Amino acid sequence: MRSPSLRDIPAVEAVLRDPAVQTLIAEWGRLAVRAAIREQQDELRTALRSGHAAPASAAGTARDLRRRLLLEGGRGPRPVFNLTGTVIHTNLGRASLPQPAIQSLANAARDPVDLEYDLAAGRRGHRDQHVTALLCGLTGAEAATVVNNNAAALMLVLNTLALEREVPVSRGELIEIGGSFRLPDIMARSGCRLREVGTTNRTHLDDYDQGITAQTGLLLKVHRSNYVVEGFTAEVDERQLAALARQHAVPLVVDLGSGALVDLERFGLPAEPTPMQSLGNGADLVTFSGDKLLGGPQAGIIVGRRSLVERLNANPMKRALRVDKLTLAALAEVLKLYTQPERLADELPVIRQLARKQPDIRDQADRLAPLLAARLPDFEVAATDMASQIGSGALPQTQVPSAGLRIAPVDGGNPDGKLARLTNALRALPRPVIGRVHQEQLWLDLRCLEDEAPFVDQLSALELAGQ
Ligand SMILES: *Cc1c(COP(=O)(O)O)cnc(C)c1O
């Protein structure tokens, strides 16, 4: 067969008339399909001009167009299967919400709500009113406020209480959480000056004491969410820091990161510090995320002393960082679940998934392995035990015993190429499947696969390029 040349590339309009492409247009719209055809043809042209063989994927088939459309989306965030083994996965949207929160969120999306309206008094209210009483009740704090996320919470606190002032932070706590959250940068943009105290591995009360000047705005303690300092180490605990802060009449702020509103040990998980503990230790304000271990929507929660929370609410930045009605609707329902902690293991997805027992997940892996093996003749599929992580900077060293599928290319051919074709095909499924590649194998941790029917149903659509 003659290899294709530039002249063989059909006109875009001709491709659009193809019946298979018409089906795609019905689903994705003409604009998106036209863009995908252009992209496909551009790739083909580049390949032909540089003398390379035409890439198999640019063969002008509707199948390749569908793959491009699926990957490029343009339809907003799409549901995927999180089989990465990281339960609270920032790139995959962190916590899944419980049913009452989803319902409440949908109601708030559809109808006008009493967001900033006091129904009892018949006059203007405050948007935080929907969650402050719950937050205070659950944490024992005097007051609470909510912003867009925990990074915003920290910015609001720093900008309100330490603008153009100094904030001493231990060198062992100058954290980076994911690419764009670096504590020194957040501090600079919040308008305060970082004053590093202590060393990377050891910081003493004396270091803080010497770091406090007439310029100090507050003391900040940051939870080491995603790393540990081991060996010859020392840090100052919250109680000591709180006493020092009081002595110098500056507030102590604790950034807990994830934070947990219940003792996780009751679900067989290791303990994570709680806002209640920090407040009990004398912290004046505590900040934490809504969508990490709390299991709610993206939000930054600040609890603590009333006089300080009032100052936060009076800062014009609060308006810029405030949350919308959808977040508040969902958050209120999640917090309500915490008032009946015995319901959490069944009804709050984050806790339910983290609490799933290994034998249960292993049974599921044993069930699914043959189904997947039947679709993947070039691979060996094995049900195996593995270890999940909690994720999002909670309990970085903790591994939770789990189980899943280990998929390895069988001998022959290029294993990396085979593995790439497999992961591409899984990502091109109607509901993409995201796993983890490690040691030239694909690992699908089934901890978060609570509803396996939709996973099994779409396996028949699995098509590996070149198979
Ligand atoms: C995760 C984390 C943050 C950032 O929280 P977001 O809700 O992602 O903005 C800040 N500080 C600590 C210690 C964290 O673990």
Side-chain angles (χ1 to χ4, degrees):
M1 195 179 83
R2 180 176 72 90
S3 52
S5 76
L6 287 172
R7 264 174 307 155
D8 297 325
I9 298 178
V12 172
E13 291 310 314
V15 181
L16 284 168
R17 282 193 297 272
D18 183 301
V21 176
Q22 289 285 322
T23 317
L24 293 178
I25 293 173
E27 190 181 347
W28 299 88
R30 181 173 284 268
L31 267 182
V33 175
R34 189 197 298 272
I37 297 170
R38 290 240 162 82
E39 182 192 270
Q40 186 186 52
Q41 296 192 342
D42 283 348
E43 272 178 30
L44 183 56
R45 263 183 217 107
T46 311
L48 292 173
R49 285 208 185 99
S50 59
H52 291 142
S57 67
T61 61
R63 186 167 105 186
D64 176 61
L65 288 174
R66 169 175 289 280
R67 181 187 63 83
R68 285 170 195 270
L69 288 162
L70 277 169
L71 290 179
E72 264 146 48
R75 301 199 293 190
R78 283 199 295 143
V80 301
F81 286 107
N82 172 13
L83 305 190
T84 59
T86 299
V87 176
I88 309 172
H89 199 304
T90 298
N91 302 149
L92 302 181
R94 293 193 183 161
S96 299
L97 294 176
Q99 203 49 48
I102 295 168
Q103 190 55 51
S104 175
L105 188 151
N107 292 343
R110 192 183 49 240
D111 296 318
V113 291
D114 60 339
L115 180 64
E116 292 185 353
Y117 190 76
D118 182 339
L119 283 175
R123 59 163 180 264
R124 193 176 193 289
H126 194 281
R127 68 174 55 212
D128 289 349
Q129 71 197 0
H130 304 279
V131 291
T132 44
L134 277 164
L135 283 169
C136 293
L138 290 167
T139 62
E142 287 174 11
T145 189
V146 184
V147 288
N148 182 56
N149 56 16
N150 190 31
L154 202 56
M155 286 193 88
L156 182 62
V157 168
L158 293 167
N159 182 268
T160 307
L161 306 179
L163 186 61
E164 287 168 20
R165 298 170 73 99
E166 289 180 356
V167 177
V169 182
S170 162
R171 287 194 169 91
E173 295 175 5
L174 292 174
I175 59 166
E176 171 179 315
I177 307 271
S180 54
F181 181 100
R182 304 184 104 195
L183 190 64
D185 299 342
I186 295 266
M187 293 182 75
R189 288 295 177 138
S190 304
C192 61
R193 289 192 299 281
L194 165 64
R195 184 171 177 129
E196 298 182 20
V197 300
T199 63
T200 306
N201 56 328
R202 289 171 72 84
T203 300
H204 307 279
L205 191 60
D206 230 27
D207 296 322
Y208 282 99
D209 200 16
Q210 283 162 21
I212 298 178
T213 69
Q215 284 303 305
T216 303
L218 56 88
L219 294 189
L220 178 63
K221 186 154 180 66
V222 184
H223 182 53
R224 291 186 184 133
S225 291
N226 51 2
Y227 66 108
V228 290
V229 178
E230 269 188 339
F232 186 53
T233 64
E235 70 172 312
V236 182
D237 69 31
E238 289 175 357
R239 270 178 199 286
Q240 290 174 297
L241 265 188
L244 185 69
R246 263 196 304 281
Q247 205 180 310
H248 292 272
V250 291
L252 170 64
V253 176
V254 175
D255 171 15
L256 267 193
S258 191
L261 283 186
V262 282
D263 175 8
L264 292 180
E265 285 174 318
R266 63 190 288 169
F267 307 109
L269 297 163
E272 172 80 4
T274 65
M276 300 70 112
Q277 286 163 353
S278 297
L279 292 171
N281 288 339
D284 297 289
L285 289 177
V286 181
T287 76
F288 53 102
S289 297
D291 54 354
K292 291 184 178 174
L293 277 172
L294 185 76
Q298 180 186 303
I301 297 167
I302 309 168
V303 295
R305 211 172 283 293
R306 182 182 311 285
S307 56
L308 298 178
V309 171
E310 279 169 1
R311 287 174 63 191
L312 300 178
N313 283 332
N315 183 337
M317 270 183 63
K318 169 71 199 295
R319 169 64 194 253
L321 302 174
R322 74 184 186 185
V323 291
D324 72 333
K325 61 177 180 173
L326 305 181
T327 300
L328 288 167
L331 183 59
E333 291 301 325
V334 171
L335 294 174
K336 266 193 235 161
L337 274 183
Y338 277 93
T339 64
Q340 294 162 275
E342 66 286 353
R343 289 173 59 190
L344 292 171
D346 289 327
E347 295 181 41
L348 191 68
V350 162
I351 302 275
R352 190 174 63 219
Q353 289 166 3
L354 283 172
R356 268 187 86 189
K357 294 278 174 274
Q358 187 177 40
D360 167 42
I361 309 173
R362 181 59 195 256
D363 283 348
Q364 190 180 25
D366 289 333
R367 270 196 310 278
L368 294 184
L371 302 182
L372 213 63
R375 308 287 322 169
L376 300 172
D378 275 352
F379 295 85
E380 183 187 289
V381 181
T384 177
D385 290 345
M386 46 184 87
S388 314
Q389 288 187 330
I390 294 177
S392 276
L395 310 160
Q397 290 224 303
T398 303
Q399 305 239 301
V400 189
S402 186
L405 305 171
R406 196 189 62 219
I407 308 177
V410 291
D411 290 343
N414 163 7
D416 285 344
K418 275 190 185 168
L419 212 52
R421 278 202 296 282
L422 173 62
T423 53
N424 286 343
L426 287 168
R427 278 185 282 110
L429 284 169
R431 180 165 166 182
V433 174
I434 318 289
R436 191 166 55 93
V437 172
H438 177 60
Q439 293 174 334
E440 295 192 340
Q441 298 171 332
L442 175 65
W443 302 72
L444 302 180
D445 185 317
L446 300 183
R447 172 170 296 282
C448 297
L449 186 64
E450 294 186 289
D451 183 10
E452 71 188 45
F455 176 83
V456 172
D457 286 349
Q458 68 168 5
L459 285 182
S460 59
L462 191 62
E463 288 187 46
L464 266 63
Q467 190 174 288

